[in-house]
Amino acid sequence: MNAKSLFDKLWERHVVVEETSDSPAVLFIDLHLVHEVTSPQAFAVLDERGLKVRRPDLTKATLDHSTPTLPADKNGELPYATPEAKAQVETLIANCARHDVELFGLGDPRRGIVHVIGPELGLTQPGKTVVCGDSHTSTHGAFGALAFGIGTTEVGHVLATQCVLQRKPKSMRVIFNGALPTGVTAKDMALAVIAEIGADGGQGFAVEFAGPAVEALSMEGRMTLCNMSIEAGARFGMVAPDDATFAWLEGRDRAPEGNDFVAALEAWRTLPTEEGAAFDKEVAIDTATLSPMITYGVSPDAAAPVDALAPSAATPAAQRAADYMQFAENHPFTDNKVNRVFIGSCTNSRLSDLRLAADILRGRKVKDGLIALIVPGSEAIRRAAEDEGLDKVFLDAGAEWREPGCSMCIAMNGDAGAPGDLVVSTSNRNFIGRQGKDVRTVLASPATAAASAIAGHIADPRPYLEANDGV
Amino acid sequence: MAFEPIRALTSRTVVMQEENIDTDQIIPARFLTTTSRKGLGKSVFYDWRYDENGAPKNSSILNGVNLDTHKILVAGANFGCGSSREHAPWALFDFGFRAVISSDIADIFKSNALKNGLLPVEVDDKTHRELLGAPGATVIVDLESQTVRIGDDWQATFQIEPFARRCLLDGVDPLGHLIKQMDAIESFERTCT
Ligand code: SF4
């Protein structure tokens, strides 16, 4: 018997029809998550062809991308960015009602960013296949699931047949050795690996993250790491399930209960990669040498330690990026003045992210004139944060505390930077214009973002954390 | 099938040298609040084509290009990276492009493009350089023989996923193909639930 990897097992357990040279495999999907932006045209195809949603029980929907993060007005009207945004939200509501799909909609205490609520509700489980019309679906791989983003045509395929056509990708393992230093988080690990292999280094691969530093991560940290797989070009990112995974799931709303949980545990324990399993590519990173990371370009692989100097551009592409970002070369990154800070997105909007930001903001003030937006990933996170008084910490510091949603990660709901702004953001993409026209984005961890909000320039979070510890 | 089967395409090229052209450049997120797949062509590369007042930029190669004669986009490496938004190939197709050529095209974009009549063509680095250096060249992309021809003296092959190729050549409908597997899907469901 050949030793098998987690990925091999996840794959073979879901093959309905094997792939041939002529056709891709038919892969069964256990959980299909749907949101308003990439689904209307898929539902329309169902209607055109007179088809129904085949497994409404395995299909769950939420509203997150186009929804405002400001509360409704006196008349209960939400401040949508455009009439089209409102129409898109209403289209999903109508499609879900017509097709009997459960929707965590407006006003639902379970609503939130699609990749935050799946795990939060216990819908995301080890051994499952999870898809969504969204490239950050790899987030769910943190639970030992085979989770990947699909396009709208494929959303239609899954709605109609509960299957996708997919060829088995190659496999890669990224091993993080050594302990994580203070002030260095899963986000910094993600940026370090993307810098190492490049924005297309994971193209065509399913990536397993492993090693002592990954095992030591919380589930939230593992989600952050898997979330960013696509920024290295990899559609699939995953971590083997272990006791931390099981502890997260136990007692969650949609997780198995009682004897079912015991039975599930037994199955889940068979998933991890076996000793000697082969990978097409392996990468090792020494976690102990990592620093808090930031990006300085317009692709997530332009990442470097926050305390480094801005490099000089070596290629025409790097020169164009440098012209856009306007960081003076060979000067410290920390010289650059920041206009806005965004803490949120499916990468870093979970309770531990907010706690980390609060640790730095507590008793301190956001720099005059700087706008700091803090957007929890879900209603549940918002409540948990408010129960701990984190909202008060943020408001006292002069930051804004918003309603859950994607917000400035994609800037399609009206939350956006102004032209020329330098934004330190905990989201996942620093593409030109992603956070608003001519906005310059610096990706960082919640700690680095919070430190930058106080300093008013790109800042290293470590001195703040050390001051807290009385060092 | 929303488009005609494709066998071969002969057209001139539009060249965009930039590497890592991401889906946010191809179609900025603020244009995603649509519920249709049509009409996105006017927003393709919007921030590259228009200034802050909405006036067309002279510097943009896409303004003023004749799409009747220039249906092939040649772009720098890692084209289409980023989002899974199918709006990106919809917008390029709606604008008038029928093929994109690069040395390396992002996975999800490639898969989305193939489903929408936009041919993603990945060529070797040498051919890529040749194409990047010859804006407006007449190129033949032949799907049947999987070759790209530039003028009389340059020919290269390209790979394309065989099923997607059949879909494009013969008009096979992937959803129809999946629905035909319904017996297998049902028996799979019985064994696992
Ligand atoms: S937070 Fe950003 S990356 Fe995540 S689902 Fe929303 S838009 Fe996509």
Side-chain angles (χ1 to χ4, degrees):
Chain A
M1 260 300 271
N2 276 346
K4 285 183 180 155
S5 68
L6 165 65
F7 169 61
D8 292 332
K9 297 181 205 183
L10 291 169
W11 181 268
E12 71 188 27
R13 289 178 194 188
H14 291 88
V15 172
V16 175
V17 180
E18 292 283 351
E19 76 178 80
T20 64
S21 56
D22 253 6
S23 315
V26 175
L27 208 61
F28 189 80
I29 300 306
D30 298 316
L31 175 63
H32 183 198
L33 299 166
V34 174
H35 65 79
E36 71 274 29
V37 181
T38 54
S39 66
Q41 298 86 351
F43 279 107
V45 167
L46 251 58
D47 292 345
E48 279 162 27
R49 299 170 70 139
L51 297 166
K52 285 195 158 42
V53 174
R54 185 173 149 67
R55 295 293 302 267
D57 57 323
L58 303 182
T59 313
K60 306 288 164 196
T62 188
L63 294 163
D64 51 5
H65 285 67
S66 302
T67 53
T69 56
L70 288 167
D73 67 13
K74 289 194 298 293
N75 307 320
E77 280 290 314
L78 283 169
Y80 283 101
T82 58
E84 290 79 21
K86 185 174 183 213
Q88 199 172 56
V89 164
E90 287 169 349
T91 302
L92 183 58
I93 295 172
N95 281 330
C96 288
R98 217 151 29 84
H99 287 278
D100 227 1
V101 169
E102 186 176 19
L103 169 69
F104 306 114
L106 300 168
D108 191 308
R110 297 162 299 182
R111 189 185 70 83
I113 303 174
V114 61
H115 309 311
V116 173
I117 65 167
E120 194 170 82
L121 289 166
L123 286 164
T124 305
Q125 294 165 17
K128 279 193 179 181
T129 40
V130 182
V131 295
C132 174
D134 195 287
S135 58
H136 292 95
T137 308
S138 54
T139 313
H140 307 261
F143 288 79
L146 187 68
F148 54 105
I150 57 178
T152 295
T153 299
E154 290 168 313
V155 170
H157 294 176
V158 182
L159 289 174
T161 68
Q162 203 55 34
C163 290
V164 285
L165 291 166
Q166 178 71 45
R167 286 198 184 270
K168 192 178 181 188
K170 290 177 287 182
S171 63
M172 184 190 309
R173 179 159 59 182
V174 177
I175 298 189
F176 286 96
N177 290 307
L180 214 49
T182 312
V184 183
T185 68
K187 179 63 160 286
D188 305 300
M189 292 163 70
L191 289 171
V193 69
I194 298 163
E196 171 86 21
I197 69 175
D200 56 359
Q203 187 99 269
F205 286 96
V207 179
E208 178 177 349
F209 298 103
V214 174
E215 286 161 29
L217 284 178
S218 67
M219 288 316 293
E220 303 193 339
R222 294 178 193 181
M223 284 188 254
T224 301
L225 187 58
C226 290
N227 174 276
M228 299 282 286
S229 315
I230 187 67
E231 308 315 332
R235 288 173 77 179
F236 310 76
M238 66 199 82
V239 174
D242 61 10
D243 288 339
T245 321
F246 312 143
W248 167 285
L249 282 165
E250 192 163 10
R252 300 238 167 213
D253 207 23
R254 304 296 170 94
E257 287 177 80
N259 286 339
D260 290 346
F261 188 78
V262 176
L265 264 185
E266 207 173 307
W268 295 344
R269 288 194 201 280
T270 68
L271 286 167
T273 294
E274 291 155 18
E275 190 75 36
F279 289 85
D280 297 305
K281 188 173 173 183
E282 298 222 42
V283 176
I285 290 184
D286 180 4
T287 319
T289 62
L290 294 184
S291 304
M293 302 285 286
I294 55 143
T295 61
Y296 56 84
V298 297
S299 171
D301 56 356
V306 64
D307 53 0
L309 305 181
S312 31
T315 63
Q319 189 56 54
R320 277 193 297 273
D323 292 345
Y324 186 78
M325 292 304 288
Q326 295 169 32
F327 289 178
E329 67 180 53
N330 300 318
H331 284 68
F333 289 125
T334 51
D335 280 357
N336 293 286
K337 183 172 175 287
V338 171
N339 309 91
R340 264 175 201 258
V341 164
F342 170 63
I343 298 175
S345 88
C346 60
T347 314
N348 281 126
S349 63
R350 297 181 181 82
L351 193 58
S352 60
D353 300 315
L354 301 180
R355 283 181 182 150
L356 180 57
D359 283 346
I360 290 181
L361 288 165
R362 189 172 287 112
R364 299 190 174 104
K365 287 282 180 213
V366 167
K367 187 78 173 178
D368 264 353
L370 185 146
I371 297 171
L373 212 61
I374 302 179
V375 184
S378 69
E379 292 287 356
I381 291 169
R382 174 166 71 146
R383 285 191 303 277
E386 290 177 359
D387 287 348
E388 289 182 17
L390 300 185
D391 56 328
K392 201 160 174 313
V393 173
F394 299 141
L395 293 168
D396 286 350
E400 292 182 45
W401 174 241
R402 294 287 187 92
E403 313 266 329
C406 296
S407 182
M408 261 187 79
C409 172
I410 188 164
M412 62 180 289
N413 73 331
D415 299 344
D421 272 359
L422 186 68
V423 179
V424 177
S425 176
T426 66
S427 55
N428 41 54
R429 288 191 174 139
N430 53 354
F431 299 158
I432 290 175
R434 170 90 176 175
Q435 299 195 292
K437 194 165 157 38
D438 294 331
V439 170
R440 301 172 296 147
T441 298
V442 169
L443 301 176
S445 74
T448 304
S452 303
I454 295 160
H457 54 77
I458 295 174
D460 190 330
R462 289 171 293 195
Y464 294 90
L465 292 166
E466 281 160 15
N468 286 353
D469 290 345
V471 176
Chain B
M1 207 61 144
F3 51 86
E4 299 289 308
I6 307 173
R7 289 191 177 270
L9 173 69
T10 305
S11 180
R12 301 181 67 185
T13 60
V14 176
V15 173
M16 295 172 98
Q17 300 280 347
E18 287 82 355
E19 288 169 20
N20 297 325
I21 293 180
D22 59 73
T23 46
D24 278 81
Q25 309 313 311
I26 301 170
I27 180 87
R30 61 185 185 281
F31 301 113
L32 302 185
T33 52
T34 170
T35 50
S36 154
R37 39 176 103 203
K38 302 231 168 65
L40 285 164
K42 60 180 185 301
S43 312
V44 83
F45 285 104
Y46 191 92
D47 293 334
W48 294 27
R49 286 163 60 208
Y50 300 100
D51 68 15
E52 51 278 11
N53 304 315
K57 292 184 191 171
N58 290 332
S59 57
S60 170
I61 176 110
L62 296 179
N63 290 332
V65 65
N66 180 351
L67 273 311
D68 292 333
T69 51
H70 294 66
K71 291 178 187 298
I72 299 176
L73 176 62
V74 174
N78 198 25
F79 183 82
C81 56
S83 157
S84 65
R85 61 183 72 156
E86 207 159 306
H87 308 68
W90 293 339
L92 289 164
F93 184 91
D94 192 57
F95 188 69
F97 288 124
R98 293 295 175 265
V100 181
I101 308 181
S102 176
S103 54
D104 123 49
I105 300 179
D107 283 341
I108 308 186
F109 179 89
K110 204 160 42 190
S111 148
N112 285 337
L114 285 165
K115 294 183 179 70
N116 290 283
L118 180 72
L119 262 186
V121 179
E122 288 175 316
V123 293
D124 61 273
D125 287 343
K126 235 172 135 188
T127 305
H128 190 221
R129 274 197 302 277
E130 180 79 15
L131 283 163
L132 286 174
T138 297
V139 171
I140 301 172
V141 180
D142 188 324
L143 182 57
E144 216 145 8
S145 61
Q146 295 180 233
T147 51
V148 176
R149 263 172 287 155
I150 314 166
D152 291 333
D153 47 32
W154 195 286
Q155 177 160 333
T157 55
F158 65 92
Q159 295 304 315
I160 200 151
E161 199 280 308
F163 180 73
R165 177 170 171 272
R166 268 205 295 146
C167 292
L168 289 167
L169 280 177
D170 308 335
V172 172
D173 161 38
L175 178 53
H177 171 85
L178 266 172
I179 289 172
K180 276 201 213 123
Q181 320 285 327
M182 204 42 89
D183 285 349
I185 297 171
E186 280 174 359
S187 79
F188 182 89
E189 284 175 319
R190 277 195 297 276
T191 60
C192 71
T193 40

